[in-house]
Amino acid sequence: MFSPNDFVSASWELVVRVDHPNEEQRDVTLRVSGDLHIGGVMLKLVEQINISRDWSDFALWWEQKHCWLLKTHWTLDKCGVQADAKLLFTPQHKMLRLRLPNVKAVRLRVSFSAVVFKAVSDICKTLNIRRSEELSLLKPSGDYFKKKKKKDKNNKEPIIEDILNLESSPTISGSPVSPGLYSKTMTPMYDPINGTPASSTMTWFSDSPLTEQNCSILAFSQPTQSPEAIAEMYQPRSLVDKAKLNAGWLDSSRSLMEQGIQEDEQLLLRFKYYTFFDLNPKYDAVRINQLYEQARWAILLEEIDCTEEEMLIFAALQYHISKLSLSAEIQDFTNETEVDEVEAALSNLEVTLEGGKTDTTLEDITDIPKLADSLKLFRPKKLILKAFKQYWFVFKDTYIAYFKNKELEQGEPVEKLNLRGCEVVPDVNVAGRKFGIKLLIPVADGMNEVYLKCDHENQYARWMAACILASKGKTMADSSYQPEVLNILSFLRMKNRSSASPAAFSVESMDMNPECFVSPRCAKKHKSKQLAARILEAHQNVAQMPLVEAKLRFIQAWQSLPEFGLTYYLVRFKGSKKDDILGVSYNRLIRIDAATGIPITTWRFANMKQWNVNWEIRQVAIEFDQNVSIAFTCLSADCKIVHEYIGGYIFLSTRSKDQNETLDEDLFHKLTGGQE
């Protein structure tokens, strides 16, 4: 038998700070015992506060341990909570400012208690961006706003930023989440030609925080920034600078609160993984536009390198897109005929079941196509001038073999090159009729460099497409070969200067500020009129494109750049005495010389056996086939960020169209979480 005094001695006082919205925080003292569960503590707390309001979003945050107490059935003893614990009773959803890829800022309510992977998924639902697994949140480095701060000192007037406020957006897990502009039967919500929201669909989702006007803001390109504003933005000058930009990615397996993010703090929402699955103009107007904007800023701020010829193509496409976005013709879609949702879904399904295009003939899948042609080859050697030699080349499977001449094709080749896992770099100047392919083939002690030279663009497109597929371990029998050839040809035609006479357009009559469409460094090289004339000349090749097609073409051109999809980190390899740059891509890791920027070695994910992290010394260790193993410590960021990048890309490679919209979140955390 226990006396009442024994019960009192087993209990103790717990102080909880209550975070009232719009009021000052205040402390509440509760008498609790170790066997009281977390839910019971919250119930006692609400009773003692005695204020009538909805407390369902509130939870307990343990300040010293930096963690949420979300398992309400756990007892205080099981959680390890004692009298010295500082607990905060606070809402799980708080306001956050997000800067989108189009540099537009939105303010919305986000879960600070859910892991970042889930929080990003909810954000993307609100903003109507599919495939949220490709995006994440980035905490900008000090350099990101550095130049702007200098500017603010000179300006007496404070800069008032235009923020799209979506405060009412219900992104609360557990409650009925607004579907954004998703249709349950996935019927088109946009005009697939120009990407405008179909007005009839707005009536289906009247509870969405994104009205038709707000949706247009995210789906349409923003007006171009002034050259002065572009010059004020942070531009990385070296690979080490680029590595700094990637240091701030948040951990997808932990919540915002656990990572020290404050209410109303500004974060960047960015496409993190460069594998864009199922880009569809019917549903992805916002996603395509934000992707286009991220690509545009990467080129303008020289986060990715391109040639002057390529810069002019990007400028022409930007000019064309900005012109169409401002055009009044695409703004008025109120007279659209109403489409029955189910009927539209059925017709869409009918097209899918019929297989879409029916004009493609099936080839004999047992017969792998081959290319055979006369090309020139060059191998760079020290102190030897660039001299190309003519050989007879045969491309079959993932191998290139070359012979002294066509008659010797049945005999032993001079050399046989396996392109699986190689780097394929275009070396093209259309104006100068130069169509080269640079191959960096991995060998035991580094990279084997080979240059191929084609005679004309058709030959180049066929061989380049074959090399790209072979580098991924695919042959020309793959269904993506012909589309790849056509993509390369269309990109070359955009590069080809239009034969239109200069009289066809007048620079003076065009309302264009050419410095808005090129990087500041490129703008300094040319006079404004000269630059405008060259952009307009390149524009002749894209002038007839619809808006969404132009954005998709811009994204494709960005994807065709040699450095596309590489995320850089400054690392120190085990056994090395100097720092190197590690480039992480969707299918490989590249060790790059930090001083020269030249690739040293490439390792494919396909050859990876296992990877892990020694959390004590923060070292990432990876094992590949043929007893190849590497280990490195990360200097520019936490090793968890690099570990998550590798696991994330492997996770994304498991996606298939059969899964449709469902994602295996547990698998993502298994591959990216580590065992910390």
Side-chain angles (χ1 to χ4, degrees):
M1 295 293 289
F2 289 98
S3 70
N5 290 337
D6 291 326
F7 277 113
V8 173
S9 64
S11 65
W12 37 274
E13 286 189 341
L14 179 66
V15 179
V16 181
R17 179 160 289 181
V18 180
D19 185 8
H20 276 293
N22 310 320
E23 286 181 39
E24 275 190 30
Q25 292 183 346
R26 65 186 179 102
D27 291 344
V28 175
T29 306
L30 303 175
R31 180 156 286 280
V32 297
S33 57
D35 59 357
L36 182 65
H37 50 73
I38 299 297
V41 174
M42 288 161 69
L43 194 63
K44 270 192 167 193
L45 198 57
V46 170
E47 284 171 357
Q48 196 157 322
I49 296 166
N50 198 23
I51 295 175
S52 180
R53 60 158 295 157
D54 181 7
W55 296 97
S56 61
D57 190 41
F58 279 66
L60 290 169
W61 167 256
W62 190 355
E63 288 182 16
Q64 295 108 313
K65 297 275 184 182
H66 228 60
C67 69
W68 287 94
L69 301 176
L70 297 176
K71 292 181 176 168
T72 51
H73 58 286
W74 279 26
T75 62
L76 292 173
D77 281 346
K78 189 170 183 179
C79 292
V81 174
Q82 295 176 340
D84 62 345
K86 289 181 183 173
L87 300 185
L88 178 69
F89 192 50
T90 185
Q92 296 174 63
H93 288 77
K94 302 174 189 291
M95 296 309 292
L96 192 66
R97 281 180 302 137
L98 294 177
R99 192 174 284 275
L100 304 183
N102 67 347
V103 197
K104 180 86 183 163
V106 297
R107 191 167 175 268
L108 72 172
R109 200 170 293 282
V110 176
S111 173
F112 273 59
S113 62
V115 295
V116 165
F117 186 85
K118 180 73 177 72
V120 170
S121 174
D122 289 342
I123 289 165
C124 288
K125 274 193 182 129
T126 304
L127 301 180
N128 194 27
I129 299 173
R130 287 198 312 150
R131 309 290 173 196
S132 64
E133 67 275 9
E134 295 168 2
L135 297 95
S136 194
L137 297 173
L138 180 67
K139 189 171 181 175
S141 64
D143 291 333
Y144 188 81
F145 297 114
K146 195 186 278 179
K147 287 195 173 182
K148 290 187 176 175
K149 284 178 183 170
K150 284 181 188 170
K151 191 180 175 186
D152 290 346
K153 285 177 188 172
N154 302 332
N155 286 352
K156 290 177 183 175
E157 299 248 339
I159 294 170
I160 299 165
E161 192 175 31
D162 176 29
I163 295 179
L164 175 60
N165 203 328
L166 303 177
E167 189 167 353
S168 59
S169 61
T171 55
I172 298 175
S173 308
S175 69
V177 174
S178 160
L181 295 174
Y182 278 103
S183 161
K184 291 176 185 68
T185 53
M186 289 310 289
T187 50
M189 286 92 65
Y190 299 96
D191 184 292
I193 303 300
N194 54 44
T196 46
S199 57
S200 58
T201 59
M202 292 298 162
T203 57
W204 307 337
F205 308 118
S206 54
D207 65 330
S208 169
L210 277 173
T211 61
E212 191 162 352
Q213 178 201 353
N214 287 344
C215 179
S216 300
I217 288 169
L218 301 186
F220 284 153
S221 182
Q222 294 290 291
T224 52
Q225 298 269 8
S226 68
E228 294 76 28
I230 294 170
E232 286 295 324
M233 293 182 178
Y234 178 69
Q235 289 161 27
R237 293 290 176 212
S238 65
L239 284 177
V240 175
D241 286 347
K242 289 176 186 179
K244 283 180 193 169
L245 292 175
N246 297 305
W249 287 110
L250 296 188
D251 186 337
S252 297
S253 305
R254 295 195 297 149
S255 68
L256 291 170
M257 198 98 155
E258 286 171 312
Q259 298 180 68
I261 303 301
Q262 304 295 315
E263 184 167 6
D264 228 20
E265 191 171 330
Q266 178 159 286
L267 297 176
L268 311 180
L269 180 70
R270 290 287 182 271
F271 288 88
K272 177 179 180 180
Y273 299 104
Y274 294 91
T275 52
F276 314 125
F277 189 68
D278 186 28
L279 268 182
N280 191 327
K282 284 183 185 175
Y283 320 119
D284 287 328
V286 176
R287 183 176 169 217
I288 288 169
N289 183 56
Q290 296 299 329
L291 202 45
Y292 156 71
E293 289 282 353
Q294 184 158 326
R296 183 168 85 89
W297 284 108
I299 284 153
L300 286 179
L301 301 178
E302 295 185 1
E303 288 171 20
I304 184 168
D305 290 337
C306 64
T307 64
E308 195 170 295
E309 190 177 40
E310 287 161 344
M311 182 70 80
L312 289 169
I313 292 169
F314 287 123
L317 283 165
Q318 283 178 72
Y319 171 61
H320 184 62
I321 290 163
S322 70
K323 237 175 49 160
L324 288 182
S325 299
L326 293 169
S327 162
E329 294 166 15
I330 61 169
Q331 298 294 340
D332 184 22
F333 269 78
T334 51
N335 299 328
E336 254 183 44
T337 53
E338 294 290 318
V339 180
D340 181 72
E341 186 186 353
V342 177
E343 195 180 310
L346 287 170
S347 70
N348 202 34
L349 180 66
E350 194 179 319
V351 173
T352 311
L353 291 173
E354 284 172 3
K357 294 179 184 175
T358 52
D359 56 346
T360 51
T361 53
L362 286 171
E363 294 173 18
D364 179 5
I365 55 170
T366 58
D367 178 34
I368 294 175
K370 76 170 187 178
L371 285 175
D373 219 335
S374 183
L375 303 174
K376 290 175 183 155
L377 175 129
F378 159 71
R379 284 182 173 284
K381 290 176 185 171
K382 287 178 184 175
L383 307 173
I384 293 179
L385 293 170
K386 210 170 195 177
F388 282 92
K389 268 190 172 181
Q390 192 98 13
Y391 291 98
W392 180 257
F393 282 80
V394 175
F395 198 133
K396 184 143 188 186
D397 202 9
T398 59
Y399 291 88
I400 286 183
Y402 62 94
F403 307 83
K404 283 195 172 177
N405 53 50
K406 187 177 180 179
E407 288 68 36
L408 298 172
E409 187 183 325
Q410 300 309 319
E412 198 65 31
V414 177
E415 192 178 12
K416 192 174 183 182
L417 307 170
N418 183 3
L419 300 197
R420 190 186 283 263
C422 77
E423 299 292 309
V424 184
V425 183
D427 185 19
V428 174
N429 183 330
V430 178
R433 307 304 295 161
K434 175 188 174 186
F435 301 102
I437 301 169
K438 180 180 170 185
L439 300 172
L440 296 166
I441 301 163
V443 289
D445 57 345
M447 304 291 274
N448 189 355
E449 202 170 323
V450 177
Y451 284 81
L452 303 181
K453 195 175 184 183
C454 301
D455 295 329
H456 50 81
E457 54 194 48
N458 285 333
Q459 187 186 51
Y460 168 80
R462 292 196 309 272
W463 283 81
M464 184 67 178
C467 290
I468 289 168
L469 261 67
S471 73
K472 299 173 185 175
K474 296 176 181 176
T475 70
M476 285 176 280
D478 193 87
S479 61
S480 61
Y481 175 67
Q482 283 305 331
E484 187 69 50
V485 173
L486 293 173
N487 270 344
I488 293 166
L489 280 172
S490 68
F491 190 40
L492 291 176
R493 281 177 196 132
M494 281 198 297
K495 284 187 174 186
N496 199 1
R497 297 281 178 83
S498 173
S499 56
S501 62
F505 52 81
S506 160
V507 174
E508 282 78 9
S509 68
M510 303 300 278
D511 181 23
M512 184 211 280
N513 188 348
E515 289 84 3
C516 297
F517 303 111
V518 296
S519 68
R521 190 163 52 168
C522 181
K524 283 176 190 170
K525 284 185 185 176
H526 304 281
K527 289 179 180 172
S528 188
K529 278 188 180 178
Q530 182 193 16
L531 195 58
R534 292 183 70 184
I535 291 171
L536 289 172
E537 205 175 343
H539 179 249
Q540 300 301 303
N541 292 324
V542 299
Q544 303 308 313
M545 276 186 199
L547 180 58
V548 172
E549 190 189 327
K551 287 179 184 176
L552 286 170
R553 193 56 61 88
F554 192 100
I555 293 164
Q556 282 173 355
W558 175 48
Q559 287 174 305
S560 73
L561 295 176
E563 288 183 16
F564 168 77
L566 280 174
T567 307
Y568 300 104
Y569 291 99
L570 188 66
V571 299
R572 174 71 65 91
F573 278 89
K574 191 177 179 182
S576 174
K577 290 184 178 175
K578 68 183 184 74
D579 301 341
D580 285 304
I581 296 287
L582 181 75
V584 184
S585 182
Y586 73 97
N587 60 354
R588 67 202 189 280
L589 299 173
I590 306 173
R591 182 177 182 173
I592 302 166
D593 187 294
T596 63
I598 296 169
I600 301 168
T601 318
T602 297
W603 302 279
R604 310 285 294 187
F605 290 158
N607 301 333
M608 192 190 289
K609 281 183 176 175
Q610 64 170 27
W611 81 102
N612 53 59
V613 181
N614 182 331
W615 295 109
E616 285 181 22
I617 58 172
R618 317 298 287 181
Q619 186 180 71
V620 181
I622 309 173
E623 279 183 42
F624 297 93
D625 293 340
Q626 299 173 333
N627 298 322
V628 175
S629 60
I630 59 169
F632 56 85
T633 50
C634 197
L635 307 176
S636 63
D638 191 276
C639 65
K640 170 68 170 71
I641 293 176
V642 182
H643 177 273
E644 187 175 304
Y645 246 114
I646 296 168
Y649 273 128
I650 290 168
F651 169 75
L652 294 185
S653 70
T654 65
R655 293 183 297 181
S656 71
K657 293 228 174 178
D658 303 338
Q659 295 169 333
N660 203 3
E661 300 298 308
T662 55
L663 265 185
D664 189 346
E665 197 176 327
D666 290 340
L667 178 63
F668 175 84
H669 291 301
K670 201 172 179 180
L671 289 168
T672 61
Q675 303 300 317
E676 195 171 8

